[in-house]
Amino acid sequence: MNQPKIVILGAGYGGLTTVAKLQKKLGVNDAHITLVNKNDYHYESTWLHEAAAGTLHHDRSRVKITDLINSAKVNFVQDTVTAIKPDEKKVELQDGELEYDYLVVGLGFEAATFGIPGLLENAFTIGSINKARLIRQHIEHQFAQYNNEPEAKQERLNLIVGGGGFTGIEFVGELANRIPELCEEYDIDRSKVRLIVVEAMDTIMPGFDPDLIEYAMNSLEARGVEFKLGAFLKEVRADGITVEQNGEKEDIATMTTVWAAGVRANHLVEESSLEDNRGKVEVTPELRAPSHEDVFVVGDCALVWNKEIDRPYPPTAQIAMQEAEVCAHNLVALVKGGELEHFEFINRGTVCSLGEDDAMGSIFGGKKIYGWTASFMKKVIDNRALYKIGGVGLVLKKGKFNIL
Amino acid sequence: MNQPKIVILGAGYGGLTTVAKLQKKLGVNDAHITLVNKNDYHYESTWLHEAAAGTLHHDRSRVKITDLINSAKVNFVQDTVTAIKPDEKKVELQDGELEYDYLVVGLGFEAATFGIPGLLENAFTIGSINKARLIRQHIEHQFAQYNNEPEAKQERLNLIVGGGGFTGIEFVGELANRIPELCEEYDIDRSKVRLIVVEAMDTIMPGFDPDLIEYAMNSLEARGVEFKLGAFLKEVRADGITVEQNGEKEDIATMTTVWAAGVRANHLVEESSLEDNRGKVEVTPELRAPSHEDVFVVGDCALVWNKEIDRPYPPTAQIAMQEAEVCAHNLVALVKGGELEHFEFINRGTVCSLGEDDAMGSIFGGKKIYGWTASFMKKVIDNRALYKIGGVGLVLKKGKFNIL
C-alpha cells in the first residue's frame, strides 16, 4: 500500500470544499487524506458579522466537521498548525506532526492592524466564532451596565466600526437592526446610541458602483448610522479612539471598537519557506506554490492576479471555493493521472448585506440590484456556499429561508 | 373640596397592594391618592433571582404601573424620593415635593454590606431590574471571554454567592440550571465551572426544618453546587474573594460575587425623623409610626415583632402584602370613618425554589413539602402575588403556568 498522503490545512471555504470534492472523486485506496482544523467545526466566516451583532445565533453558522466528511475516506485531526515545513514535506502541529506528499494550505485570514497604536489590545475583530459571540456579549454588557451607573457613561453607547468595506458595512447593517432591540431590553432611548463608521477612504465600499454606495449609505443613515469618511483611526484605547479627519483630530469616547478594515493571510504562510508576496503565496495557474509544486494554496492565503485591472483579486468565499474546485481536480489528476487545470476566476457578482431584509450588489456581468431582490440573492449565495460544502442536507439544516 | 391627601411611597408589594385596595374602597371624591415610584413599572422582587440567573426574562417580572392603577382615582408620579419630612408632613422628591395628610412608606430594602471591605464596590446585589439583568449579562460575558484568552482564566468560571439564606439559595438553584446552557453556548466543559455558596452560619436556610435543608443541599450538590459553611467573607476584590473558615483564610479567584446575604430598610427611613429600630420603623399594631400617627409603614421598612419567638418577622413579600391590606383598611377607616384594625401575621407557609422544577418548604401549619409539589406550590404563591396586585388579568399575562 503506497498511497500518496494528502494533507489539507484548514476547514474553511477553501479547505473544506477541496475535501468535499476529493472524497467524491477518490476511492478509499487512491490516497490517504487528512484534514487538520483547530476546531471540530467549520464556520461560515461570511456569516460571522451576524453572530457578532447578535442577529443570527452562531450555531446557525457552524457545522460539525465529522458531519461533513466521509470518515472512511478522510481522517480528521483536531489540532492547531504551528509551522509549515515544505522543504521537509511536513507540518508541525501543537500536539504532533504530519508528513505529506501533497499539501493544501487553506489557513484563512487574520486581522491586519497596520500598526495602529492600541488596536490589537483594545479593538475587537470578527475573526472566529469565539470572537463573534464575545462582541455580541460585550455590546450587550455595555447596555446592561448603562442604567446601573450614577453618572451615565456615553462611551457605553458609542459603537465604532473601523472600516467601511464589505465586512464593516455588513456588520453595521446588522448592528443597526439590533440596536433597537437592545434599547428595549435595557430601557435605553435609541437616540442616545451612536453607531459610527470610520473609513480612511473618501467612500464606503470602494470599487462598488456609486449608485450602490449611495443606496447603502441612505439605508444605513436612515437607521441612525453616522459615517466619518476620509477619517484615519490614529489610536484605540480601552475607553475611546482618536480619529483624524481633514487634518483635525477628534477623540470619541467608546468602550467598543470593532475593527473590520483589514485582513492578511495567516502568519504561518509568511513564516514558512514558501515564497510570499504581501504575506500570501502568489500561486501558479495550477494553484501551486512556485517554489514547491507539491504544495497547493487556496483561499485567503493564495494571491491570484486579476490581469484586467492589474491588481490581486480580493479574498472572498467565492474565489476560495472556485480555487478549491481546481485544486481538488488537480490533486485527483496527480494521484490518478490526467490533465492539470488552470484556475480562472468567474465573477458571479457580489452582494453586500445591509441587514436582515436589505442588501445591494451586482450580479451577472454587472447588473445592479437593491433592497429585497438583493437580500434574496444574498441568501441564495449563502445557501449555495452551504450546498458546496455539505450538500442539500446542510442547506436544509442551516440555510437561510427567511426570504419574505 | 377638602379631600385628604394620601401619598404612597414605593410601588413594591406593600405600596402597590395598598393602592390596589384603596382604589377599590375609596370613591373619586373621598381622597386624593398619589403613588410615587422611581420606575414606571412595578417588579416582583421575589422573582429577580430568576432574571439575574437568566432563567426568566425580566419583562416577565415587571408590569407598567399605569396598567395596574385606576388613573381616575390614583395619580402616579414617577420620581425618586430623596427625603421624608414627617414633621412638616411632606416628602421631597428629586424633581419636586409632595404634601400629605396620610403617608404610606413602602420603600423596600437595600443591600446591607456589614462593612465587608470591597463588597460595595465589587459585589453584585439582586436589588432591581437593572441590577438583575446586569448580573445575567456579566456572567454571560465571563463565559464569552473565557475561550478568547490565551491563558484560560479560572476566575471567569468561578461564581460566588454570598449567603445561603432564602435569596442566595433561590438564586443558586436557578444558576445551577443555567450553567449547562451557558457551557453549551460558549463551548465550555461544565466541570470547569465552580458555583460556590459562602455562608457564615453552619447551615444554609437557618430556621428551616433540617429535613428541608438536607433536601435542598442534596438537590443543589447534585447539580454541582459547593457549600462553604461557617465561612466568613472577609474581602471582595474585582478578581477574587477572601474567605475565612475554621480560622483559616482562603483566596478564591472570581470575577463574579453576588451578595445575597443581607438586606436593610431603605436608608431614607433612618434619615427621616421617624423613630427607628435597626433602621426600620417599629410600627404600632395599626402599622403607624409611633411618633407620627399620620404615617403608615409597610413591607421591608416596617419592623413587626413576632412575640412567639421574640424576634422580628423577616422581611418577605407575604408579610408586606398582609400589612398592606391592614394599612389600606385603616386608611379607609380614617377617611370615611370606621374601626382601625390591628395587624396579625398569618403564616401561610414558605416555599423556597431550587430552580425551575424543584423546591422545598412548609405550608399550612408546618407540613413539609418537596420537589414537584413544592415547585407547584411556589408557582401558586407567585401567581397569588400577581393576583393581589393586578387581578386575574395580570395572572394571565405574567403568571407561571409551566407546572408540568
Side-chain angles (χ1 to χ4, degrees):
Chain A
M1 299 291 284
N2 202 5
Q3 303 167 342
K5 295 192 198 79
I6 303 175
V7 172
I8 296 109
L9 305 181
Y13 292 112
L16 207 50
T17 309
T18 304
V19 169
K21 190 109 182 177
L22 284 182
Q23 68 186 7
K24 260 191 212 158
K25 297 283 171 96
L26 291 178
V28 180
N29 297 319
D30 289 333
H32 186 270
I33 305 173
T34 302
L35 171 65
V36 182
N37 197 58
K38 185 160 63 173
N39 304 305
D40 65 356
Y41 53 83
H42 156 82
Y43 55 83
E44 302 291 307
S45 59
T46 61
W47 301 16
L48 284 180
H49 64 282
E50 296 171 78
T55 49
L56 184 82
H57 193 269
H58 56 259
D59 279 340
R60 281 287 302 282
S61 47
R62 64 173 169 177
V63 204
K64 263 197 117 78
I65 288 169
T66 48
D67 289 349
L68 297 175
I69 59 173
N70 177 342
S71 58
K73 290 182 178 176
V74 180
N75 176 36
F76 172 56
V77 173
Q78 187 183 348
D79 206 338
T80 302
V81 180
T82 53
I84 304 166
K85 306 271 181 182
D87 297 326
E88 303 164 44
K89 293 174 85 72
K90 69 182 193 190
V91 173
E92 288 179 2
L93 310 177
Q94 207 163 278
D95 299 320
E97 63 174 41
L98 287 171
E99 295 184 346
Y100 64 78
D101 295 303
Y102 299 107
L103 182 69
V104 178
V105 178
L107 289 169
F109 69 93
E110 54 191 48
T113 58
F114 306 124
I116 297 171
L119 187 68
L120 193 65
E121 301 80 6
N122 299 311
F124 295 91
T125 54
I126 312 175
S128 65
I129 294 275
N130 275 331
K131 287 176 180 172
R133 62 190 166 193
L134 176 59
I135 293 171
R136 178 193 73 188
Q137 283 313 117
H138 171 83
I139 293 173
E140 188 155 359
H141 194 221
Q142 302 309 311
F143 279 70
Q145 285 180 301
Y146 185 75
N147 276 332
N148 278 286
E149 289 159 332
E151 296 275 308
K153 294 186 176 170
Q154 180 59 35
E155 59 264 41
R156 300 213 184 275
L157 305 185
N158 288 350
L159 309 175
I160 311 292
V161 177
F166 208 92
T167 306
I169 292 305
E170 288 206 322
F171 177 58
V172 166
E174 296 296 327
L175 203 49
N177 288 355
R178 174 79 175 131
I179 286 171
E181 295 173 12
L182 288 171
C183 287
E184 200 186 325
E185 178 76 6
Y186 296 100
D187 301 326
I188 292 169
D189 276 356
R190 170 63 184 89
S191 63
K192 289 186 179 160
V193 182
R194 290 182 72 190
L195 179 50
I196 306 168
V197 176
V198 176
E199 168 56 51
M201 310 275 277
D202 285 326
T203 176
I204 63 166
M205 305 292 295
F208 271 62
D209 182 284
D211 289 347
L212 295 174
I213 292 172
E214 198 191 335
Y215 180 86
M217 286 188 73
N218 285 341
S219 166
L220 294 170
E221 281 175 343
R223 282 177 274 158
V225 177
E226 302 171 51
F227 292 96
K228 290 196 176 285
L229 302 179
F232 296 87
L233 196 56
K234 304 301 283 184
E235 194 192 358
V236 183
R237 296 173 298 278
D239 61 354
I241 58 166
T242 303
V243 170
E244 188 176 315
Q245 201 178 15
N246 304 320
E248 295 203 3
K249 282 191 183 176
E250 183 193 0
D251 287 344
I252 304 174
T254 181
M255 304 293 286
T256 311
T257 303
V258 179
W259 178 244
V263 294
R264 46 159 294 167
N266 192 306
H267 64 280
L268 294 173
V269 168
E270 203 169 25
E271 291 169 8
S272 74
S273 61
L274 299 168
E275 263 179 40
D276 76 273
N277 177 347
R278 309 169 197 206
K280 302 184 175 197
V281 179
E282 187 174 348
V283 288
T284 67
E286 300 90 10
L287 299 177
R288 297 198 268 196
S291 57
H292 298 81
E293 65 170 18
D294 48 359
V295 178
F296 288 80
V297 187
V298 294
D300 302 347
C301 295
L303 190 97
V304 177
W305 214 256
N306 180 350
K307 285 168 196 139
E308 279 178 41
I309 56 168
D310 199 30
R311 285 179 56 181
Y313 284 109
T316 63
Q318 184 181 178
I319 197 167
M321 287 189 292
Q322 288 186 24
E323 287 165 354
E325 304 258 351
V326 172
C327 169
H329 172 94
N330 289 349
L331 282 168
V332 171
L334 287 167
V335 169
K336 303 202 341 187
E339 289 278 306
L340 268 63
E341 268 180 10
H342 283 196
F343 175 71
E344 290 282 352
F345 179 59
I346 300 157
N347 189 349
R348 297 208 170 86
T350 310
V351 181
C352 175
S353 161
L354 302 170
E356 166 66 25
D357 51 6
D358 200 3
M360 61 83 176
S362 56
I363 48 167
F364 314 128
K367 182 177 160 40
K368 289 178 260 185
I369 54 173
Y370 307 85
W372 185 86
T373 317
S375 182
F376 174 79
M377 276 308 298
K378 181 75 181 179
K379 289 176 181 107
V380 169
I381 290 166
D382 283 348
N383 291 344
R384 188 181 149 84
L386 292 179
Y387 176 75
K388 285 276 177 188
I389 282 164
V392 172
L394 186 59
V395 177
L396 292 175
K397 212 157 128 187
K398 306 271 179 175
K400 295 181 173 174
F401 304 107
N402 50 340
I403 52 179
L404 286 178
Chain B
M1 301 289 284
N2 202 5
Q3 303 168 343
K5 294 194 197 80
I6 303 175
V7 172
I8 296 107
L9 305 182
Y13 291 111
L16 206 51
T17 308
T18 304
V19 169
K21 191 109 183 177
L22 284 181
Q23 67 185 7
K24 259 191 212 157
K25 297 282 170 96
L26 291 178
V28 179
N29 297 319
D30 290 332
H32 186 270
I33 305 172
T34 303
L35 171 66
V36 182
N37 197 58
K38 186 160 64 172
N39 303 306
D40 65 356
Y41 53 83
H42 157 80
Y43 55 82
E44 302 291 308
S45 59
T46 61
W47 302 15
L48 284 180
H49 63 282
E50 295 172 80
T55 48
L56 184 82
H57 193 268
H58 57 260
D59 279 341
R60 282 287 302 282
S61 47
R62 64 173 170 177
V63 204
K64 263 196 119 74
I65 288 169
T66 48
D67 289 349
L68 296 175
I69 58 174
N70 177 343
S71 58
K73 292 183 179 175
V74 180
N75 177 35
F76 172 57
V77 174
Q78 188 186 345
D79 207 337
T80 301
V81 180
T82 54
I84 305 165
K85 305 270 180 183
D87 297 327
E88 303 164 45
K89 293 172 85 71
K90 69 181 194 191
V91 174
E92 289 179 0
L93 310 177
Q94 206 163 279
D95 299 321
E97 63 175 42
L98 288 171
E99 294 182 347
Y100 64 80
D101 296 302
Y102 299 107
L103 182 69
V104 179
V105 178
L107 288 170
F109 69 92
E110 52 192 49
T113 58
F114 306 123
I116 297 171
L119 187 68
L120 194 65
E121 300 82 4
N122 298 312
F124 295 91
T125 54
I126 312 175
S128 65
I129 294 274
N130 276 330
K131 287 176 181 171
R133 62 191 166 193
L134 178 59
I135 293 171
R136 177 192 74 188
Q137 283 313 118
H138 171 84
I139 292 173
E140 188 156 357
H141 194 221
Q142 302 309 313
F143 278 70
Q145 284 181 300
Y146 185 75
N147 275 333
N148 279 283
E149 288 159 332
E151 296 275 309
K153 294 186 176 170
Q154 181 58 36
E155 58 265 42
R156 299 212 183 277
L157 304 186
N158 288 351
L159 309 175
I160 310 292
V161 176
F166 208 91
T167 306
I169 293 304
E170 289 206 322
F171 177 58
V172 167
E174 296 296 327
L175 204 49
N177 288 355
R178 175 80 175 128
I179 285 172
E181 294 172 13
L182 287 171
C183 287
E184 198 186 328
E185 178 76 4
Y186 296 100
D187 301 326
I188 292 169
D189 277 354
R190 170 62 183 89
S191 64
K192 289 186 180 161
V193 182
R194 292 181 70 189
L195 178 48
I196 305 168
V197 177
V198 176
E199 168 56 51
M201 309 275 276
D202 285 325
T203 177
I204 63 166
M205 305 292 294
F208 271 62
D209 182 282
D211 289 346
L212 295 173
I213 291 172
E214 197 191 335
Y215 180 86
M217 285 188 73
N218 285 341
S219 166
L220 294 170
E221 281 175 342
R223 282 176 275 156
V225 176
E226 302 170 50
F227 292 96
K228 289 193 178 286
L229 303 179
F232 296 87
L233 197 56
K234 304 302 283 185
E235 194 192 357
V236 183
R237 297 173 298 276
D239 60 355
I241 59 166
T242 302
V243 171
E244 188 176 314
Q245 200 178 15
N246 305 320
E248 296 203 2
K249 284 192 181 175
E250 183 192 1
D251 288 345
I252 304 175
T254 181
M255 304 294 287
T256 311
T257 303
V258 178
W259 179 242
V263 295
R264 45 159 294 166
N266 193 307
H267 65 281
L268 293 173
V269 168
E270 202 168 27
E271 291 168 7
S272 75
S273 62
L274 298 168
E275 265 178 40
D276 75 272
N277 178 346
R278 310 172 194 203
K280 302 183 174 197
V281 179
E282 187 174 348
V283 288
T284 67
E286 301 91 8
L287 300 177
R288 296 198 271 197
S291 57
H292 298 80
E293 64 170 20
D294 48 1
V295 178
F296 289 79
V297 187
V298 295
D300 303 344
C301 294
L303 191 96
V304 177
W305 213 255
N306 180 351
K307 284 169 197 141
E308 279 178 44
I309 56 168
D310 200 31
R311 286 178 57 181
Y313 285 109
T316 63
Q318 185 180 178
I319 197 168
M321 287 190 291
Q322 289 187 24
E323 287 165 354
E325 303 259 351
V326 172
C327 169
H329 172 93
N330 289 349
L331 282 167
V332 171
L334 288 167
V335 169
K336 304 202 339 186
E339 289 279 307
L340 269 62
E341 270 180 8
H342 283 195
F343 175 71
E344 289 282 354
F345 178 58
I346 299 158
N347 189 351
R348 296 209 172 86
T350 310
V351 181
C352 175
S353 159
L354 301 170
E356 167 66 25
D357 52 5
D358 199 5
M360 61 83 175
S362 58
I363 49 166
F364 313 128
K367 183 177 156 44
K368 288 179 260 183
I369 54 172
Y370 306 86
W372 185 86
T373 318
S375 181
F376 175 79
M377 277 308 298
K378 181 75 182 179
K379 290 176 180 106
V380 170
I381 290 166
D382 283 348
N383 291 343
R384 187 180 151 84
L386 292 178
Y387 177 76
K388 285 276 175 189
I389 282 163
V392 173
L394 186 58
V395 177
L396 292 175
K397 214 159 125 186
K398 306 269 178 175
K400 294 182 174 174
F401 304 107
N402 50 339
I403 53 178
L404 285 180

